[in-house]
Amino acid sequence: FFKILLHSMSDADYQRRWQPGVETDARDGGAPSDTTEEQIATEEACQRCIDEICDPELRREAASLLTREHRTYCASGLWRLSAGYASLDASRPWLCYWIVHSLSILGTRIDAAAADAVINFIGRCRDPDCGGFCGGPYPGQMAHLAPTYAAVNTLVTIGTPAAFELIKGAKLGSFLRAMRREDGAFTMHHDGEVDVRGAYCAIAVATLSGEVEATGPWEDTANWILGCQTYEGGVGATPGEEAHGGYTFCGLAALSLLGAAHRLRLPPLVRWLVGRQMAHAGGFQGRTNKLVDSCYSFWQGGAFPLVQSLLQSRGELAPGGAIYNAPALLDYLIVCAQVAQGGLRDKPGKGRDYYHTCYALSGLAVAASASELPGVPEGWVNGVRLINPIFNVVNDKVEAALEHFRAAE
């Protein structure tokens, strides 16, 4: 079975990806629709990127990772954002995380003044009564698992004593227990929605902050997440919903932290994941019959190291083996997703933003860690730091946080 999956995106398929419309027409029998027209337009936009940067033969050495430009773009966002970001007023710890994490992947440590400013701002987002962190300064917003995850990841990335002290003082254990339901699922906030994101954010935060034992037991949570795996093989937001890349990553990463990922139905999960890599561009789509999007370079791409580890532990994949095409993903990110002035975008024709910059670079970091990258220039991957895909934080920052909070127990 897995030998078949390893050939799901063969070299021949990949070399044919720059023939716009071929794959779509074959799949839909030539019958036009809004979906196929958008697909063809996206393929043609990717083709133009190839023609402009690398010529139709895809000469990879003609392209480069724009490290300096990305650093400049990200660093500027720490102090000032454009008016378009006003819609993210309830996601301000996320903006901190996207920017700080992007810089960390690129090997840039923010200076002491910027670190202190970020820590002080996140401290203003802490709910002193319920615990956890809000999407913006408190009072005014309520504690929420998603910005709590973003805040903790940001503080772990900064990694100073002041950052760790803020995590320690955030009453995370009591907040996580309050969000937990009897069936093991987690609400995102008081009287809020329930989905796999909540379980993942809770488990990741509890692990990084040393609150796992205080927040458990976790058996019901693992069972609830397992119930979210769909007939397709991926994971939906809740039991019975469509499989989605973000929820699949959250479910898989959460179960990995709980030591229960082996309980997933692995063959359909692998089949669904490998099917999301687009043959025409090398990037990933988030759901079946959707367009390529650079953020899924991590939400889908970040799942592969976890799945590959499971397969290797079962003797079904050789050490160093891979079940997706990492060079193809790097092609999409370097050639099609980068913006010349810095930052990365969803796809050609879209604008840059900090969300896509963060998750595109995160996917690039995952792909860069592949054991074999035939034909990929060293400059595409040498400047990128290793991340821990379960938390999506640079690996040595995760190790430092885990060690700090173990010592504090």
Side-chain angles (χ1 to χ4, degrees):
F1 171 80
F2 289 109
K3 288 181 180 178
I4 294 173
L5 286 177
L6 289 173
H7 292 85
S8 62
M9 186 177 178
S10 68
D11 290 340
D13 290 335
Y14 182 50
Q15 291 302 321
R16 286 195 298 268
R17 74 197 184 288
W18 302 115
Q19 300 177 22
V22 172
E23 179 182 323
T24 301
D25 290 345
R27 186 169 61 241
D28 284 2
S33 67
D34 290 345
T35 300
T36 58
E37 288 175 2
E38 289 180 357
Q39 178 69 22
I40 292 171
T42 300
E43 293 178 10
E44 292 175 343
C46 291
Q47 178 67 53
R48 287 192 293 273
C49 289
I50 286 289
D51 291 345
E52 293 169 6
I53 299 172
C54 298
D55 77 34
E57 298 301 317
L58 187 60
R59 292 185 302 107
R60 288 183 171 123
E61 64 274 9
S64 61
L65 176 61
L66 305 176
T67 303
R68 181 177 62 184
E69 290 83 355
H70 299 327
R71 286 172 175 166
T72 300
Y73 170 65
C74 291
S76 68
L78 282 176
W79 301 105
R80 185 176 182 84
L81 295 169
S82 66
Y85 284 96
S87 62
L88 295 177
D89 185 60
S91 301
R92 292 168 74 179
W94 278 109
L95 285 161
C96 294
Y97 168 61
W98 297 334
I99 292 170
V100 171
H101 180 48
S102 295
L103 290 169
S104 184
I105 289 174
L106 295 171
T108 302
R109 180 188 293 272
I110 62 175
D111 62 36
D116 288 343
V118 171
I119 293 168
N120 289 337
F121 172 75
I122 291 178
R124 292 170 54 205
C125 299
R126 180 180 58 180
D127 184 330
D129 300 318
C130 298
F133 293 91
C134 312
Y138 179 91
Q141 298 194 32
M142 62 170 55
H144 191 291
L145 274 172
T148 295
Y149 166 87
V152 169
N153 274 11
T154 304
L155 295 169
V156 167
T157 300
I158 292 173
T160 62
F164 289 151
E165 190 62 28
L166 181 53
I167 293 174
K168 181 180 178 181
K171 300 181 180 178
L172 293 174
S174 61
F175 172 61
L176 297 177
R177 287 191 295 274
M179 296 301 102
R180 184 191 187 91
R181 301 195 320 177
E182 289 186 2
D183 62 358
F186 283 79
T187 59
M188 295 301 290
H189 58 85
H190 180 66
D191 286 337
E193 71 272 27
V194 176
D195 58 51
V196 170
R197 292 175 306 154
Y200 166 66
C201 289
I203 296 162
V205 165
T207 303
L208 285 173
S209 63
E211 294 286 351
V212 171
E213 295 299 325
T215 312
W218 295 94
E219 181 65 23
D220 288 343
T221 301
N223 290 336
W224 186 84
I225 296 171
L226 289 164
C228 296
Q229 187 174 16
T230 76
Y231 74 93
E232 302 167 273
V235 176
T238 60
E241 295 198 52
E242 179 186 13
H244 182 283
Y247 296 120
T248 297
F249 171 81
C250 288
L252 176 60
L255 290 171
S256 296
L257 287 170
L258 296 177
H262 64 281
R263 296 173 59 193
L264 286 162
R265 292 179 288 112
L266 201 52
L269 172 62
V270 175
R271 182 170 57 243
W272 186 83
L273 282 170
V274 299
R276 305 285 69 75
Q277 188 166 22
M278 309 293 281
H280 74 275
F284 285 94
Q285 62 183 183
R287 289 180 285 159
T288 303
N289 213 33
K290 292 292 185 178
L291 299 175
V292 66
D293 184 334
S294 69
C295 74
Y296 293 107
S297 302
F298 177 76
W299 294 122
Q300 304 283 24
F304 283 96
L306 309 183
V307 170
Q308 288 166 186
S309 177
L310 283 173
L311 295 178
Q312 289 163 5
S313 71
R314 292 163 51 153
E316 295 174 348
L317 185 67
I323 56 173
Y324 78 110
N325 195 324
L329 176 58
L330 290 169
D331 287 340
Y332 181 74
L333 293 171
I334 297 294
V335 179
C336 299
Q338 291 192 109
V339 175
Q341 296 77 24
L344 291 99
R345 59 194 174 189
D346 166 350
K347 59 179 66 65
K350 301 286 188 178
R352 64 184 180 178
D353 61 71
Y354 293 110
Y355 168 80
H356 285 93
T357 297
C358 171
Y359 287 106
L361 287 174
S362 299
L364 193 152
V366 171
S369 67
S371 59
E372 294 185 8
L373 293 171
V376 172
E378 291 185 1
W380 285 18
V381 298
N382 281 355
V384 176
R385 298 177 69 191
L386 179 69
I387 67 168
N388 183 315
I390 290 181
F391 303 102
N392 197 17
V393 174
V394 167
N395 194 58
D396 61 356
K397 296 293 185 178
V398 171
E399 294 300 322
L402 294 174
E403 182 178 350
H404 174 86
F405 288 106
R406 276 196 299 265
E409 290 178 355

